[in-house]
Amino acid sequence: MSKGVVLSEVREKITALDQKLLGLLGERRQLSLSVAQSKIDTVKNVRDTEREEALLIDLIQRGHKLGLDAHYVSQLFHVIIEDSVLNQQAWLQERANHQHESPIARVAFLGSKGSYSYLACHRYFSRRVEDIVEVGCDSFSDIVNQVESGQAEFGLLPIENTSSGSINEVYDVLQHTSLSIVGELTQPVEHCLVTAIDTDISQIDTIYCHVQPYQQCSQYLSKYKGIKFEFVESTAAAMEIVQQRQSETVAAIASQEGGSLYNLNAIERKIANQLENHSRFIVVARKAVEVAVQIPAKTTFIMSTHQASGALADALLVLKSNGISMTKLESRPIQGNPWEEMFYIDVDCNLHHDNMQKALAELNEITKDIKILGCYPSESIQATPVAEVLLNSNTPV
């Protein structure tokens, strides 16, 4: 038997195993929803970290007997556990709010096909509806207007990035809207240079990009002094231009996944300043939601303090004294009030919990104004820790 025939047979077996794995993953996902259903009456939290840790240790030990590396097994099952948690949360949240009587949702987001917002939009709503109607927008204010006017049910807004920081324009838009934050997600961002024709970076003379990816890739881009940068309104717009130009001298900064939707190839990968690059998005809607009691919640609010020494510190002490963990503090100028600022605050707490209500009552006594922007499920899923000694061990525990 020739080597070619042997190779083809091996590949057929691998394909068959991959298909079996997909079937098993689908079956596991359905079972995880049964777990969520069982937690309705008992009001148990979605996550049981002690059980997750015991499960991971058992899987690592079983994997060791099969010659599988501990890190490989733990990383694989961290992804599977995260998927299970997020699907359970989505199911419980939909049941608590009857959010989607229709299997289709209209969602407004920045850009169009292939943009990071487009990818995040499909990732978030794939757990919640059967299909979405895409409403591509040219600006953050346009996204908000689409939802406020009822032309879209939801809007997706990027709020911060681990590399370039907060997106101030979005914070400013939130000052003046009646919309509520009803969800969040964190989307991995892997910037690449994509082209329509297979070429080399040495041939590129023009790069089209949105300003945010440009800032996030500044260290890599600074090495190429002769390249001209053309800023456009979105990553999708950059890819559309490159696709239309069909030139070996132009490129766009985009994701490999987004580029593939435009038949663009990645000629340079992982070009961001930080390899671990993530963007956090918020989902807004006209109606606030109730967060199911089994789900960890976040509350976001705007607060303006009096112009007095220590006013902000006093307000933050209220959160601390009520045992509320603050995860984000962002200051923005109050439009029309020179030298005055308002503060955007994220806390890990359900708006309707007693300690949150007590803190808000106390804050109302010492601040000028408070506006609740939303209470929504937290999708910051931290990997269950497994002892480092176990991960580094070459022998069964």
Side-chain angles (χ1 to χ4, degrees):
M1 185 177 292
S2 68
K3 291 184 179 180
V5 173
V6 171
L7 179 59
S8 65
E9 291 177 352
V10 171
R11 285 175 171 168
E12 286 180 7
K13 290 180 179 179
I14 290 175
T15 299
L17 284 172
D18 288 342
Q19 292 173 350
K20 186 180 292 186
L21 284 172
L22 284 174
L24 291 172
L25 288 171
E27 186 177 345
R28 190 188 194 283
R29 177 181 274 194
Q30 289 302 313
L31 288 171
S32 74
L33 292 181
S34 298
V35 172
Q37 294 168 7
S38 73
K39 294 176 180 176
I40 295 172
D41 296 328
T42 57
V43 198
K44 290 182 179 179
N45 291 336
V46 167
R47 296 196 73 179
D48 182 344
T49 54
E50 289 185 3
R51 183 187 181 281
E52 288 177 15
E53 183 179 14
L55 173 67
L56 285 169
I57 291 173
D58 180 63
L59 289 168
I60 288 170
Q61 292 173 341
R62 290 175 182 271
H64 178 85
K65 296 176 182 178
L66 298 172
L68 299 176
D69 176 76
H71 282 281
Y72 172 71
V73 172
S74 63
Q75 288 176 4
L76 175 63
F77 278 91
H78 281 318
V79 173
I80 292 173
I81 289 171
E82 179 184 38
D83 177 75
S84 174
V85 170
L86 291 177
N87 276 295
Q88 288 185 55
Q89 289 191 177
W91 186 87
L92 289 165
Q93 191 62 8
E94 182 177 350
R95 185 180 184 279
N97 291 273
H98 307 289
Q99 284 176 297
H100 302 300
E101 302 295 339
S102 167
I104 300 174
R106 293 179 58 84
V107 187
F109 57 89
L110 186 66
S112 56
K113 182 178 72 173
S115 68
Y116 285 108
S117 292
Y118 170 96
L119 299 175
C121 173
H122 279 267
R123 180 180 169 212
Y124 181 85
F125 284 96
S126 67
R127 302 181 189 279
R128 294 162 172 83
V129 294
E130 294 178 13
D131 198 8
I132 66 172
V133 176
E134 301 160 5
V135 183
C137 299
D138 295 329
S139 67
F140 299 134
S141 58
D142 186 22
I143 294 171
V144 170
N145 291 337
Q146 289 285 334
V147 183
E148 287 179 337
S149 66
Q151 295 179 70
E153 294 175 70
F154 302 96
L156 189 77
L157 294 164
I159 195 83
E160 61 182 315
N161 177 268
T162 53
S163 177
S164 57
S166 298
I167 302 174
N168 291 332
E169 187 181 347
V170 174
Y171 282 103
D172 293 341
V173 167
L174 291 174
Q175 284 187 32
H176 306 289
T177 183
S178 59
L179 301 179
S180 294
I181 302 174
V182 298
E184 68 165 0
L185 80 154
T186 301
Q187 174 78 5
V189 176
E190 185 177 305
H191 293 311
C192 304
L193 276 187
V194 296
T195 60
I197 296 176
D198 191 22
T199 185
D200 185 81
I201 182 65
S202 62
Q203 302 298 312
I204 302 297
D205 60 26
T206 305
I207 293 177
Y208 294 88
C209 57
H210 185 264
V211 65
Q212 288 288 334
Y214 172 80
Q215 293 171 349
Q216 294 163 16
C217 302
S218 59
Q219 294 174 12
Y220 170 85
L221 298 173
S222 66
K223 297 186 294 185
Y224 301 99
K225 304 298 183 184
I227 294 179
K228 180 173 67 174
F229 296 94
E230 295 285 351
F231 297 110
V232 294
E233 65 269 19
S234 70
T235 297
M239 291 188 290
E240 288 173 0
I241 294 171
V242 173
Q243 183 190 47
Q244 292 166 2
R245 291 278 305 269
Q246 290 292 311
S247 170
E248 63 183 12
T249 65
V250 299
I253 300 177
S255 68
Q256 184 173 2
E257 183 181 1
S260 67
L261 297 175
Y262 291 85
N263 295 317
L264 303 179
N265 300 311
I267 62 168
E268 295 279 318
R269 296 180 176 84
K270 297 183 178 181
I271 65 173
N273 299 343
Q274 296 181 14
L275 293 182
E276 285 296 322
N277 189 16
H278 296 80
S279 286
R280 179 178 172 235
F281 292 82
I282 55 172
V283 181
V284 294
R286 291 184 300 280
K287 183 180 178 182
V289 295
E290 297 288 331
V291 180
V293 294
Q294 302 93 336
I295 300 174
K298 279 186 179 178
T299 297
T300 298
F301 61 95
I302 302 174
M303 176 182 71
S304 58
T305 60
H306 297 286
Q307 296 295 300
S309 177
L312 176 60
D314 290 341
L316 298 182
L317 282 172
V318 169
L319 297 177
K320 182 179 179 181
S321 65
N322 282 281
I324 297 172
S325 175
M326 181 178 66
T327 58
K328 179 75 174 177
L329 173 64
E330 187 74 27
S331 65
R332 293 298 297 152
I334 299 176
Q335 298 173 16
N337 291 34
W339 311 115
E340 291 191 30
E341 293 184 323
M342 62 174 51
F343 301 94
Y344 290 79
I345 297 176
D346 289 344
V347 296
D348 280 335
C349 192
N350 193 307
L351 176 64
H352 301 294
H353 283 183
D354 290 343
N355 56 340
M356 189 70 209
Q357 287 297 306
K358 182 173 180 291
L360 288 172
E362 294 176 20
L363 287 172
N364 274 314
E365 294 292 327
I366 62 173
T367 61
K368 291 173 63 176
D369 185 56
I370 291 179
K371 177 185 177 183
I372 304 297
L373 293 181
C375 178
Y376 48 96
S378 172
E379 295 213 359
S380 301
I381 309 298
Q382 300 297 322
T384 302
V386 179
E388 192 68 22
V389 64
L390 177 58
L391 291 178
N392 292 329
S393 175
N394 291 321
T395 58
V397 174

